[in-house]
Amino acid sequence: MARDEQPEDLYTAPITLPGAAGTDGEDGDLDMPEISYDEQRYPARPRRLRPRDQFRGGSVRRNMTDPRKANGTNPSYVEWLVRQAMLKDADVLARQLSGQPAMWRNPYARPDARRAIATTDVWFTAYPISLITRPGQSFLAALGDDALWSAFERIGITAIHTGPVKRAGGIEGWRETPSVDGHFDRISTSIDPAFGTEEEFRALCDVADTHGGSVIDDIVPGHTGKGADFRLAEMGYKDYPGIYHMVEIPPEDWHLLPEVPEGVDSVNLDPATEHELAEQGYIIGALQRVIFYTPGVKETNWSATAPVIGPDGRTRRWVYLHYFKQGQPSINWLDPTFAGMRLVIGDALHSLGELGTSALRLDANGFLGVEKSAEGLPAWSEGHPLSHAANHIIAGMVRKVGGFTFQELNLTMEDIRDTGAVGADLSYDFIGRPGYHHALATGQTEFLRLALTTSLELGVAPVQLVHGMQNHDELTYELVHWATRHGDDVYRFRGREISGSDLAEEVRADLTEHLTGTADYNRVFTQNGIACTTTSLIAATRGIARLDDVSDDDIPLIRDAHLLLSAYNAWQPGVFALSGWDLVGMLTIPADEVADLLSAGDTRWIERGAHDLLDVDPSATRSAAGMPRGRSLYGSLPAQLDDPESFASRLSGIIDLRREYGIASATQVDIPEVAHAGMLVLVHRLDDGNPSADAAMQVTVLNFSAEPIEGTVRSEQLVPQSEVVDAASGETLGRVDDLQSFSVALPAYGATFLVLNAPEPVASAED
């Protein structure tokens, strides 16, 4: 699961929504288990909102107790938790919006990728703890710097995705504990003071607007951290247990649970205990996979809490679900209280209405429904209809108040298609991303072409995708599509027939060998992928063994390969996204500089080096959050923009062509066979999604090999005698022949954007 990071005995029938897959007696393309458990048994933003931070009323027991106690017997402690709870804020926000005319001014039923792209099509993805700021300046104030937005405007960047900046981590007693997963374990609607203030966030939105840009925030519909909401849930307080997929275990069966050592609040279940609790009917048991599996740390998706006393005087122990880390309890989307749904929607409305963002990322949104399966089979936890229904509700609500959403969903292409059909407007590109890295690593595009053609055949068009380069996560190579649902399907690869599961293993092996086999600066991350930056990935494919071996002489070719990957992502329909690590050409951090962070097994910290986009603090060796400064190959943005040969300046030219010809909203019509193993050809109609339009054809040709190539481009979509024009230079390269082909030559790591001008119609004799 590509995440920094990432319910339930059914009380009633699942909710069905108009237009959702599976309604009106049609199941669409959803995959149902071969045998179910039952069968076995017989798109205007509202006015600004401001959540109130007051606790009113409640059912706290008014018994005399030590006011310093941090447990359910102390009414002051319970009230303190409620004042911080996301569910409490959500209820206040909902009441402020309910019945307002602003809720009915926007279409919301169906996703609309092109409407989202029209809002913003080139994104900068920030990572709060890695940005070097001016001394004393907050992360959000730095993102709102007019000089930064001026640089972005020159490059062509029109949005910032801030990354998670709200309070995260947990609460133990009266104190907060740090995030366990890069602030994706949210515990509040409030901005974390470590990143700035709500006023600075609003100012960022205002500055972005003056430069024609916008701001994108995150919500996490799959889980929270162990904050006030979870602590209240453990106490059995009001609706709070309904937020989570948690089951109370009665005292007579506590012997089934593991002991919780002093100093921790829960223990992960081993598989035997998970099985026993499932046999006893308490939980649904093992899920389809264990994300971030680590022996002795996370062997199942379930953990047991220590005993917790509630306001009613009862002491309880629970078993709770967490798809990701133990500190990220999963939200229950089908509880009779609908408390989890209320919490998530409230968090979304706070970002859109109170902070002023234009869009939201839905993190880990593919795991919102789980259900018991047949005896001996894992619980149904991926591609569940409840996930589709929940995503429809979230995305519909966001569209209803004038925003849009994108999802980071690393599942099969069918899951991306089906969830996107009713949910998020855009999806993160887990389809092409491992493919183009594999192409660069091997110098061959065969797997990338297979992935792209399969995507088109299954109904996932590139215009629906956010084509991202490096972000805070590892290079994900789980290849879920091939390894799971299509594991037994047969594909043609490297001249032979091969199963999907074997294909995934072979591609993983290629990536592991090329990127970590000799390079000591990239590392494997659990079972998910490889921790690296884009430039360290390229350096490894160039055969550079050590970070210190990357010399100034290597930079031009690394930059050219980086621009090739940029052109691949930018010169096709959809959103193009890149990070600060990409913009300044950051290498990974030496492992010994982040040894304490790596000790828990999360190798991704090596790729998150601190970087200074504007050269505001040249002497800084760390970010304000403490991340060590990494080595930048390209330099700051102001310096790059003064050099026409720099990465940022040439990137600006790539984006200019993207905008001039409207490739972001075009239609991809062909990924043809190629004349050279390192070549990739993408054919598009520049029709803005209107198939009946009289539109020009565009062809992107890329060379993923480190040697110059010549070859023929052929596609049945090409019109004979069309003039082939290099859009960057305006030079005519030739014409499409009667076999619907033309020749092209590219340098090592070359990329070209071609526009085809159709021939004038030949006048008839009668004319």
Side-chain angles (χ1 to χ4, degrees), residues 43 51 127 136 161 246 248 305 375 417 452 454 642 737:
Y127 193 64
H161 175 212
M246 58 195 303
E248 183 180 354
T305 70
E375 189 68 31
R417 177 196 65 203
L452 297 178
T454 302
D642 287 339
D737 62 27

Side-chain angles (χ1 to χ4, degrees), residues 622-645:
R622 292 178 177 269
S623 68
M627 283 302 296
R629 186 172 192 145
R631 179 184 171 193
S632 163
L633 299 185
Y634 307 150
S636 68
L637 294 183
Q640 288 192 63
L641 291 172
D642 287 339
D643 176 7
E645 292 302 311

Side-chain angles (χ1 to χ4, degrees), residues 548-685:
D548 291 343
D549 294 341
V550 180
S551 68
D552 290 346
D553 292 338
D554 294 312
I555 294 176
L557 274 177
I558 290 175
R559 180 192 60 210
D560 289 348
H562 204 161
L563 289 164
L564 165 73
L565 301 185
S566 300
Y568 164 80
N569 285 287
W571 288 350
Q572 62 176 309
V575 167
F576 171 41
L578 71 168
S579 65
W581 299 297
D582 286 307
L583 287 175
V584 300
M586 189 67 62
L587 293 171
T588 50
I589 306 170
D592 58 1
E593 294 189 23
V594 286
D596 55 330
L597 296 172
L598 300 181
S599 61
D602 193 341
T603 57
R604 292 173 297 179
W605 291 107
I606 66 171
E607 69 190 43
R608 298 168 181 162
H611 49 279
D612 189 344
L613 296 177
L614 297 180
D615 202 21
V616 295
D617 192 357
S619 64
T621 59
R622 292 178 177 269
S623 68
M627 283 302 296
R629 186 172 192 145
R631 179 184 171 193
S632 163
L633 299 185
Y634 307 150
S636 68
L637 294 183
Q640 288 192 63
L641 291 172
D642 287 339
D643 176 7
E645 292 302 311
S646 71
F647 175 81
S649 292
R650 291 170 63 185
L651 176 67
S652 175
I654 289 172
I655 295 173
D656 284 346
L657 288 175
R658 169 185 172 87
R659 293 259 166 75
E660 181 179 353
Y661 290 94
I663 191 69
S665 56
T667 301
Q668 190 168 94
V669 294
D670 195 16
I671 299 101
E673 295 295 318
V674 292
H676 186 283
M679 181 186 290
L680 178 71
V681 178
L682 308 174
V683 183
H684 306 110
R685 292 184 79 247

